[in-house]
Amino acid sequence: MEAFREPIILGSVAFYMALCIGIGVWAMRRTRSANDFFVAGRSLGPLIVGLAVFSSTLSGFGFVGGPGLVYSLGMSSVWMVNISAFGYAIGFFLVAKRIRMIAELRDTISLPDVLAARYDSEFVRLLTGVTIVLGVLGYLATQVLAMATVLQSILSGTQAFAGIDFVTCAALSSAVLIFYSVTGGIIAGVYTDVVQGLIMMAAGILVVVTAATAIPAFPGGFADATATILADDAEAAMPWGTVGIMGCIAWFFVFGIGLAGQPHLVTKMMMNRRLSDNRVVLPLAMLGYAVAALLWISIGVVMRGVVVGGDAAPLDMPDSAAPAFLSAFAHPLLAGVVFAGLFAAIMSTADSFLNIGAAALIHDIPRAIRGRSLGNELFWARVATVAIAVLSFAFALYSHFANGRLVALLGAFGWGTFAAALVPVVMFGLNWKRASRAGAVAAILVSLVVNFAVELFHIALPYGINGGYVAFGLAMLAFVGFSLVLKPRPVASDIARVMEL
Amino acid sequence: MRYGLVVMGLLVAMAAAFALVIATPEPMGASGAVHPGIAGMRVGGDGAARYAPIAAPAIALQALTFVLVGALVAIAPPARRRTPAFWASLALSVLAALFVWWRMNATYARFLETGETRYLLGFPEPTFWAIFGVWGAGLLLVLVYVVGFRRFVLPPEDERAFAELVAETKRAREGR
């Protein structure tokens, strides 16, 4: 079997990509309107929504960047994973029901639509749309980098493609993503999410079993691996990792509470057929995430353990942790499934971002500026999808070659942008009648200014604190403060009734 | 108004704890340092030196964050659905998170003193609490949602009321 490792891995990845293209072609026939393209006509069952919610949460950031973070920083990044149950619970309690209700009442297709309805403000729609476009570029760049990293590590191990370069790998994988996202819109997105979610869960289980039982250097499983890490640097194996307690607390806040405002997730909460499906969607999404996230911790711990223990050479770059683990320790069949799983994780998030970014560009921003969205929305949605993909591709390459940013840190910036700017506006807006338009505007502006200032001016906060945390905290203070001080404006009667339910 | 003041109070208390942390001079390597022998890897170094000066405000900050999570979830159901059972289950979830947080810090402080730790499910005990304890505490909140769905989240009468609202809106739109 070992002799067939290369063909098995290549075959698995090629099969997976062909499946995505096939789903794209199939979904194109079902996509007849902008409503189909952006929210799948609000017709999806709980299994599909549940898998789509979790698979779009755990992206290339998690499957490629996550193991890299554990390798590089020790256990610190556990604080981006252990929050999943809290994060999903907050999101479903505070957002899922009412966003779905408003979507049906007002026939909305995007998060800015919902917020414009709640705050009765085109300016809030505009700010939300701009925030989404900015965050999407950062986050999509993460996915492009992750796809290229994985594809290059697969192809460069073969004789035929040994010298393949990073840019070609980025272009090849992006082409598949663009194809099915453009043809099939969100319908292709969610159905590929189902396939991708199942592959990711299988990959998570198989990897954790391999990591716990099949590493020659660690016959005692994880206990041996963590003991080796602890002997090298105790802090790396302890709960705060190398980053320290404040960095971890910041990540908990941004990734846990911040989950409730991620536009690619909350948009999926608008797609289910029945409101009562949420009762199934939440545990399904949380369970899927938990199983798949095992891969993040398992691979990172094993790779850091074997390297500090002297059983393997140091990695060229932390982001190669997952591919290196699969090449060194995984059975060829498992490697095939997990490599396909890596692509699945990346693409399932990327397609969601392409979709919400396109909605912001051709629906929300024009509507906020000139009172109506573009004519022939479906055509322009496809054009905008390509445009955003190309822009993100360029940003990814710039970030890779000029900046040398890790996949996960770029992803954390994108996530932080959404969390800080949108969570207060969505979470309080849908549940607290006193939440005001001025509070929403202040929260978005404060968060964008702080988050981008920290990033652009390379401001290093003490104690490893993430800039997104400060931006998020200030945005919440601004939102609640403005809403308390200013006299509340009446909410539209239908929205007010939704808030009573 | 009262709800807003509670959330504002929590946020201000968190900001105060955060300010105390920031005001504490940062010890060398507070957020890690480059690994002496392996490129691309970082180390945490002297745990006690970087934990002790900020432990109290940092622990308070995260405890307040757990309380904030409870306060946020508290406004999700409309006032009439916030029954004693809802409050009790919400309080239980927050208390579980605070218990996990206490165990994590207590076992970590003991490790810093003694250099010894137990291993649970393959991880040093403080890390076990970070991974499985925090996740498990969040799971309680998920259970409250699932088990209490028809009582706190979407009772059948609310579902019917929403269907009526949709029908009314449709009629109004068609009549326009």
Side-chain angles (χ1 to χ4, degrees):
Chain A
M1 187 66 85
E2 198 55 42
F4 297 104
R5 174 177 284 270
E6 274 180 24
I8 288 172
I9 292 173
L10 279 176
S12 305
V13 172
F15 175 74
Y16 163 74
M17 291 206 173
L19 194 63
C20 288
I21 290 171
I23 291 174
V25 172
W26 169 79
M28 187 165 63
R29 293 191 193 134
R30 296 185 56 178
T31 304
R32 296 186 190 94
S33 66
N35 201 301
D36 291 336
F37 193 88
F38 290 123
V39 287
R42 286 190 294 278
S43 61
L44 304 174
L47 180 72
I48 292 169
V49 177
L51 286 169
V53 165
F54 111 74
S55 64
S56 32
T57 319
L58 197 66
S59 59
F61 165 30
F63 258 40
V64 178
L69 279 184
V70 178
Y71 173 84
S72 173
L73 306 176
M75 301 307 292
S76 312
S77 70
V78 157
W79 290 88
M80 296 177 181
V81 182
N82 63 358
I83 46 71
S84 62
F86 273 113
Y88 280 125
I90 294 168
F92 274 79
F93 262 114
L94 290 163
V95 181
K97 179 179 74 179
R98 294 198 176 104
I99 201 171
R100 173 65 182 72
M101 285 177 165
I102 294 174
E104 185 168 348
L105 270 182
R106 296 289 188 103
D107 199 21
T108 60
I109 62 169
S110 67
L111 179 62
D113 268 351
V114 171
L115 294 177
R118 162 60 182 87
Y119 293 104
D120 192 20
S121 165
E122 290 305 316
F123 191 52
V124 170
R125 185 202 298 275
L126 178 68
L127 280 180
T128 317
V130 170
T131 304
I132 287 175
V133 172
L134 291 173
V136 158
L137 289 179
Y139 219 132
L140 258 179
T142 313
Q143 312 308 318
V144 173
L145 288 180
M147 284 192 295
T149 302
V150 176
L151 191 61
Q152 191 181 30
S153 71
I154 295 171
L155 294 180
S156 60
T158 64
Q159 284 183 338
F161 302 102
I164 194 161
D165 63 87
F166 192 82
V167 178
T168 309
C169 291
L172 274 175
S173 43
S174 298
V176 174
L177 172 70
I178 292 171
F179 177 82
Y180 82 78
S181 299
V182 168
T183 53
I186 201 65
I187 296 180
V190 291
Y191 280 97
T192 49
D193 281 354
V194 171
V195 176
Q196 290 154 348
L198 293 172
I199 295 175
M200 286 157 70
M201 288 170 75
I205 292 169
L206 292 170
V207 161
V208 80
V209 170
T210 303
T213 60
I215 310 301
F218 304 131
F222 285 121
D224 278 2
T226 50
T228 306
I229 295 171
L230 191 138
D232 175 67
D233 171 45
E235 284 294 281
M238 283 291 149
W240 326 122
T242 64
V243 171
I245 185 170
M246 279 306 296
C248 294
I249 287 174
W251 277 343
F252 177 92
F253 197 80
V254 171
F255 284 85
I257 300 176
L259 194 139
Q262 299 299 316
H264 58 303
L265 297 187
V266 298
T267 304
K268 298 229 159 68
M269 293 172 179
M270 292 160 57
M271 294 177 190
N272 48 355
R273 197 178 303 141
R274 282 190 303 266
L275 279 163
S276 54
D277 288 348
N278 283 332
R279 191 182 197 173
V280 180
V281 173
L282 168 59
L284 193 63
M286 192 213 53
L287 184 71
Y289 185 96
V291 169
L294 292 173
L295 181 146
W296 173 322
I297 299 172
S298 309
I299 290 183
V301 164
V302 166
M303 289 312 295
R304 186 169 177 116
V306 292
V307 170
V308 300
D311 296 298
L315 302 175
D316 292 338
M317 52 190 286
D319 286 340
S320 324
F325 172 92
L326 295 174
S327 302
F329 302 115
H331 184 279
L333 284 175
L334 167 62
V337 172
V338 180
F339 268 120
L342 294 182
F343 276 102
I346 300 161
M347 288 183 168
S348 58
T349 304
D351 59 34
S352 306
F353 278 115
L354 282 175
N355 199 268
I356 58 166
L361 271 186
I362 64 113
H363 177 80
D364 300 313
I365 295 176
R367 214 165 166 185
I369 293 172
R370 55 179 213 156
R372 62 180 194 281
S373 42
L374 299 180
N376 194 358
E377 274 194 322
L378 182 57
F379 169 76
W380 287 111
R382 288 180 164 136
V383 172
T385 303
V386 175
I388 292 171
V390 171
L391 262 179
S392 304
F393 179 79
F395 182 46
L397 294 184
Y398 166 76
S399 175
H400 179 72
F401 290 111
N403 245 346
R405 295 285 303 268
L406 287 179
V407 166
L409 294 183
L410 198 58
F413 170 67
W415 183 284
T417 302
F418 285 142
L422 301 181
V423 168
V425 182
V426 176
M427 195 171 65
F428 289 121
L430 293 178
N431 296 281
W432 184 36
K433 281 194 179 159
R434 209 182 161 92
S436 71
R437 181 191 302 175
V441 171
I444 295 175
L445 291 178
V446 163
S447 70
L448 288 181
V449 168
V450 175
N451 211 22
F452 276 80
V454 169
E455 185 68 17
L456 293 175
F457 301 115
H458 305 290
I459 299 170
L461 297 168
Y463 294 102
I465 295 164
N466 175 280
Y469 178 64
V470 178
F472 194 176
L474 290 173
M476 284 186 86
L477 274 168
F479 189 98
V480 178
F482 271 88
S483 298
L484 279 175
V485 170
L486 297 175
K487 198 175 166 209
R489 293 162 58 103
V491 181
S493 63
D494 56 340
I495 306 288
R497 281 174 69 180
V498 163
M499 292 177 76
E500 287 297 325
L501 297 175
Chain B
M1 183 77 167
R2 203 178 56 175
Y3 174 78
L5 289 175
V6 170
V7 173
M8 194 64 178
L10 279 169
L11 289 171
V12 169
M14 288 170 68
F18 182 76
L20 280 176
V21 171
I22 297 291
T24 308
E26 200 179 14
M28 192 74 124
S31 54
V34 172
H35 195 288
I38 302 169
M41 204 178 267
R42 293 180 67 82
V43 291
D46 186 344
R50 64 189 197 146
Y51 177 73
I54 56 165
I59 289 170
L61 177 58
Q62 182 60 18
L64 285 166
T65 303
F66 284 127
V67 177
L68 179 69
V69 168
L72 293 175
V73 169
I75 47 159
R80 65 185 181 284
R81 305 282 176 222
R82 287 177 219 142
T83 59
F86 171 74
W87 286 115
S89 48
L90 188 58
L92 186 69
S93 305
V94 174
L95 286 174
L98 292 173
F99 171 78
V100 166
W101 182 236
W102 166 67
R103 287 301 301 157
M104 190 189 314
N105 280 283
T107 52
Y108 177 64
R110 199 183 314 133
F111 170 76
L112 289 178
E113 279 171 27
T114 64
E116 287 173 11
T117 181
R118 285 191 299 166
Y119 281 77
L120 299 171
L121 294 181
F123 293 92
E125 188 177 356
T127 311
F128 161 83
W129 286 109
I131 298 174
F132 300 102
V134 173
W135 187 80
L139 186 62
L140 282 181
L141 213 48
V142 173
L143 282 177
V144 174
Y145 185 90
V146 173
V147 175
F149 190 81
R150 285 301 188 189
R151 295 167 69 190
F152 320 130
V153 182
L154 187 67
E157 54 269 36
D158 284 8
E159 207 172 7
R160 281 195 294 276
F162 177 66
E164 278 165 26
L165 177 59
V166 172
E168 261 176 50
T169 311
K170 242 181 213 165
R171 278 198 299 275
R173 232 182 256 153
E174 284 162 4
R176 212 186 292 149

